[in-house]
């Protein structure tokens, strides 16, 4: 029998703790595939965030560290500066990167740290039970915006890519989605490019934002969640290469 | 100068306003003392003041290990402005030494009769040598002469070690100022 | 490119405490320094900014103390020797990271050149972070080793020890100094110290080449796992308390009054005790060099005979609580201190000794 598809070795053969329809699993697989395709597993160090992906090291088979909420870009700075030959990535959610860690990501980008950032935007806090994130959509209901997000009181969804793109220290920024096969393929291309830049020693930070479904806290079934990304989320977070 | 068994234990405060080179004078004294094999501690006041604020440093120079670097009651006091005189003269030890910059201090210090007082026109002497900025060195020269446990030439030798290289063109001026201060103190009428 | 021009000297050099500490860290093999400006420790980052690149090592001015401690976390996780320095308010911000370092069992050296608090306080010397330093400071069941130098020379001497202790026990080590120690200049001899025999850092993240993946973490959700980890840490702390206590003492056995002080206060106390002895007062002193582990045994032993214990601090009384715990009611324990930037003079302390010993006799 001919093998047409197999698990990439860096993606561990274990069940994940993610909810059905969650985007983290797909993003993990793409990440692992890119690491294997570029043959950088034995010199890659990953940083897991605080959030649903906190146990990322249980699934991605590279050296990994789990760090304080939002501080991954600072940790990555410490790693990359002392180990310029290693490939350093951080994997962060929207609460982690855009809320509590807004300072760290901004300054890592500002300094042009040679790291790769994977930014999972699912418009909600998953791990803590569905609270408002900086990227929560207007009118989106969360446990802390029971009447829907209201721009006057809670501000607009935060556009991280556009914010970081103005910094000279960022070299590559693209927004992708886990919402349909074409978008997923494109996300893999973007991830690969972001890692390639670091492998080449390009001077600056690269970041790939991934719009990712959270059926549980969007209170939708998985197909509806995927469709909601393509129909609604992309209005606040347009896809494509930002920089 | 506590002189039990002829052991040196000198506690000193140098004070003035920021910009008068107080810290530099203190550092030079510390460097000279160390070069001459003495134990020394130098404690600067530190803070937001750079120019115009108050500045002072405390030094302890001794033959043996120095325990406390914080000077509560100095044996000697070198003050370059009136505010510093007012602040520190009351804590000066009896039988101590007071050198004050009479160019800027127009009052007669009210100190115990046992205290040796040198009225030093430090600014005027420095201006005569070419720059008012050397007044700190004039004062230090006078102090070294009055105390006598370190010689002026050692201080002159230590100058390049504490002056940043970009200021080395001022070495001759500062050396002269040290000598001029010493000369003044040697001939000064003391009380 | 490694230039390797480490400033070891055979002659004494006049240096301020902050610079002595910085150069000693370089000699001790620090790979990276991360920090954020705050008075009165700014000489350290300035020195490191110049010297670390000369040595081919890493210096980064971080955007905050939060970032600085996490940069250390990153460098330490890869097995590097990393340090930061700050002063009280900045150290408060670092507590999150220190707790994570403790939880992840990562070695790091953190220098606190204390200033007055609470709040923004002032920039004058203070010893009011004793509680924070010795009780862990951040959240969770952990300790940090705390070293308290008392001279510019010791600011240098504690650095190789701090890095060795951090590596040996895989935990953060804090140097607790103060503004006066940081700013004052004294002759310093900088020597290269022999490293302790240290365990290999086989846990470090170096890329999973020819070995299984390494994970550095502090999250343990499975029932009972965190309890086990904390018990392991406690066993390690007990071992440290057993083996790593450092303290100096003077004429304790032959004393009616024992003064206890650390850091700059110990210098004042030493002079006051010497003066008291000249007056015929039987005074002695104990100076803890490690604040955690605390020299409780030494103090407890001194308390076996009835004598007065007087703790002197630049605080409203923090270490005095540890002294009371050690003395355990066997003798009176009193406190004398100044706060908010005030520094007692030798005569202030001497007067306390006189009064207490007169009262004691009567």
């Amino acid at each position: 029998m001919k093998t047409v598809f197999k698990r990439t070795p860096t993606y561990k053969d274990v069940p994940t703790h993610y909810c059905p329809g969650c985007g983290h699993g797909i993003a993990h697989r793409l990440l692992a595939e890119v690491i294997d395709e570029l043959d950088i597993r034995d010199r890659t160090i990953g940083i897991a965030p605080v959030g649903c992906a906190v146990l990322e090291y249980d699934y991605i088979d590279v050296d990994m560290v789990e760090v304080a909420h939002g501080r991954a870009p600072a940790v990555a700075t410490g790693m990359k500066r002392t180990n310029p030959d290693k490939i350093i990535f951080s994997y962060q959610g929207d609460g982690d990167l855009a809320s509590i860690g807004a300072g760290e990501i901004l300054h890592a980008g500002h300094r042009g740290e040679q790291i790769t950032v994977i930014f999972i935007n699912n418009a909600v806090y998953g791990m803590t039970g569905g609270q408002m994130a900086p990227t929560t959509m207007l009118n989106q209901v969360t446990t802390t915006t029971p009447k829907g997000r209201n721009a006057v009181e809670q501000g607009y969804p935060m556009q991280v890519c556009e914010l970081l793109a103005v910094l000279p220290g960022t070299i590559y920024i693209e927004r992708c989605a886990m919402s349909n096969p074409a978008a997923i393929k494109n996300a893999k291309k973007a991830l690969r490019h972001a890692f390639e830049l670091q492998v080449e020693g390009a001077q600056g930070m690269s970041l790939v934002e991934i719009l990712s479904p959270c059926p549980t806290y969007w209170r939708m079934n998985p197909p509806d969640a995927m469709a909601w990304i393509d129909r609604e989320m992309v209005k606040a977070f347009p896809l494509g290469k930002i920089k | 100068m506590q002189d039990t068994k002829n052991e040196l234990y000198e506690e000193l405060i140098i004070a003035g306003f920021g910009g008068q080179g107080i810290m530099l004078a203190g550092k030079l004294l510390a460097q000279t003392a160390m070069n001459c094999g003495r134990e020394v501690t130098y404690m600067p006041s530190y803070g937001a003041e750079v120019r115009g604020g108050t500045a002072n440093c405390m030094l302890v120079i001794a033959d043996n290990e120095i325990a406390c670097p914080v000077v509560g009651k100095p044996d000697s006091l070198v003050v370059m402005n009136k505010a510093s005189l007012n602040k520190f003269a009351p804590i000066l030890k009896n039988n101590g030494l007071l050198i004050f910059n009479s160019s800027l201090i127009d009052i007669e210090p009210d100190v115990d009769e046992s205290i040796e007082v040198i009225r030093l026109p430090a600014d005027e002497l420095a201006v005569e040598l070419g720059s008012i900025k050397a007044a700190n060195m004039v004062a230090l020269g006078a102090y070294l002469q009055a105390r006598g446990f370190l010689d002026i030439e050692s201080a002159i030798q230590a100058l390049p070690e504490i002056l940043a290289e970009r200021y080395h063109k001022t070495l001759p001026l500062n050396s002269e100022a040290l000598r001029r201060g010493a000369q003044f103190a040697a001939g000064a009428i003391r009380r | 490119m490694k230039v390797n021009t480490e400033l070891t000297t055979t002659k004494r050099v006049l240096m301020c405490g902050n610079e002595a500490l910085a150069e000693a860290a370089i000699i001790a093999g620090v790979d990276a320094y991360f920090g954020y400006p705050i008075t009165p420790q700014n000489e350290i980052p300035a020195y490191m900014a110049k010297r670390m690149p000369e040595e081919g090592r890493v210096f980064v001015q971080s955007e905050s103390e939060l970032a600085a401690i996490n940069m250390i976390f990153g460098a330490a996780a890869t097995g590097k020797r990393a340090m930061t320095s700050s002063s009280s308010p900045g150290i408060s911000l670092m507590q999150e990271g220190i707790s994570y370092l403790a939880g992840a069992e990562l070695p790091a050296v953190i220098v606190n050149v204390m200033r007055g608090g609470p709040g923004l306080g002032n920039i004058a010397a203070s010893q009011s972070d004793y509680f924070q330093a010795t009780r862990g400071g951040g959240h969770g069941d952990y300790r940090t080793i705390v070293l308290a130098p008392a001279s510019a020379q010791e600011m240098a001497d504690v650095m190789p020890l701090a890095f060795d202790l951090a590596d040996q026990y895989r935990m953060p080590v804090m140097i607790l100094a103060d503004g006066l120690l940081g700013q004052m200049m004294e002759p310093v001899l900088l020597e290269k110290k022999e490293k302790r025999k240290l365990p290999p850092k086989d846990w470090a993240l170096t890329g999973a080449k020819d070995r299984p993946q390494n994970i550095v973490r502090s999250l343990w959700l499975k029932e009972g796992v965190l309890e086990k980890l904390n018990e392991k840490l406690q066993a390690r702390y007990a071992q440290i308390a057993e083996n790593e206590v450092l303290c100096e003492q003077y004429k304790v056995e032959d004393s009616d009054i024992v003064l206890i002080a650390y850091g700059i206060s110990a210098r004042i106390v030493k002079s006051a005790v010497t003066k008291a002895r000249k007056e015929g007062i039987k005074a002695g002193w104990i100076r803890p060099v490690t604040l955690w582990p605390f020299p409780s045994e030494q103090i407890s032993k001194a308390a076996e005979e009835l004598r007065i214990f007087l703790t002197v601090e630049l605080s409203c009384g923090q270490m005095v609580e540890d002294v009371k715990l050690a003395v355990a009611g066997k003798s009176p324990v009193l406190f004398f201190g100044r706060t908010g930037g005030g520094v007692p003079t030798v005569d202030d302390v001497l007067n306390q000794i006189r009064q207490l010993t007169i009262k004691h006799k009567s």
Side-chain angles (χ1 to χ4, degrees), chain C residues 12 22 39 48 58 71 94 102-103 136 146 155 164 181-182 191 197 199 214 219 226 253 255 297 328 330 339 344 358:
Chain C
R12 300 195 304 169
T39 308
M48 288 304 202
V58 173
M71 287 176 186
M94 289 184 187
V146 184
M155 290 284 267
D164 281 1
L181 284 172
E191 291 170 305
K197 204 168 174 286
N214 276 347
L219 177 72
L226 181 58
E253 279 178 32
S255 68
E297 217 170 281
K330 289 181 278 190
T339 179
I358 289 164

Side-chain angles (χ1 to χ4, degrees), chain A residues 55-242:
Chain A
L55 298 172
E56 191 186 3
Y57 40 72
D58 284 347
Y59 314 124
I60 308 286
D61 191 22
V62 298
D63 275 8
M64 284 202 78
V65 62
E66 152 221 290
V67 302
H69 201 18
R71 317 293 174 225
V75 173
T77 300
M79 288 180 161
K80 186 69 180 183
R81 293 291 185 110
T82 51
N83 299 273
D85 55 326
K86 298 288 188 293
I87 304 301
I88 312 290
F89 75 85
S90 79
Y91 185 103
Q92 303 178 255
D94 39 43
D96 192 81
L97 181 142
S99 188
I100 198 166
E104 281 76 15
I105 190 67
L106 194 73
H107 282 275
H110 172 62
R111 287 189 303 266
E113 298 297 341
Q114 291 174 261
I115 57 171
T116 302
V117 180
I118 300 148
F119 169 40
I120 304 295
N121 176 3
N122 61 9
V124 76
Y125 279 73
M127 195 197 202
T128 46
Q131 295 85 356
M132 179 187 69
T135 50
T136 290
M137 300 287 287
L138 288 181
N139 302 319
Q140 186 181 336
V141 173
T142 70
T143 62
T144 50
T145 53
K147 293 179 178 170
R149 184 179 193 160
N150 163 348
V152 175
E153 284 177 33
Q154 291 109 14
Y156 290 87
M158 185 181 277
Q159 294 173 305
V160 169
C161 288
E162 288 77 357
L163 259 175
L164 293 174
V166 299
L167 300 173
T170 58
I171 48 172
Y172 170 60
I173 295 180
E174 180 152 355
R175 187 180 285 121
C176 310
M178 299 280 97
S179 52
N180 60 64
I184 291 167
K185 270 180 138 175
N186 200 47
K188 169 140 176 223
K189 254 197 258 166
L191 282 174
R192 188 181 163 113
H193 183 57
F195 274 93
E196 276 170 348
L197 284 169
Q198 191 178 164
V199 170
E200 288 161 13
Q203 296 290 318
M205 189 179 88
S206 52
L207 179 143
V208 178
E209 175 175 342
I210 296 174
L211 306 183
S212 179
C214 180
T216 303
Y217 291 110
W218 293 356
R219 311 198 189 282
M220 295 177 194
N221 64 40
D224 286 350
M226 297 273 197
W228 191 70
I229 292 176
D230 286 338
R231 196 180 64 241
E232 295 299 328
M233 267 188 98
V234 295
K235 290 180 189 162
F237 304 108
L239 302 184
K241 188 175 166 187
I242 317 285

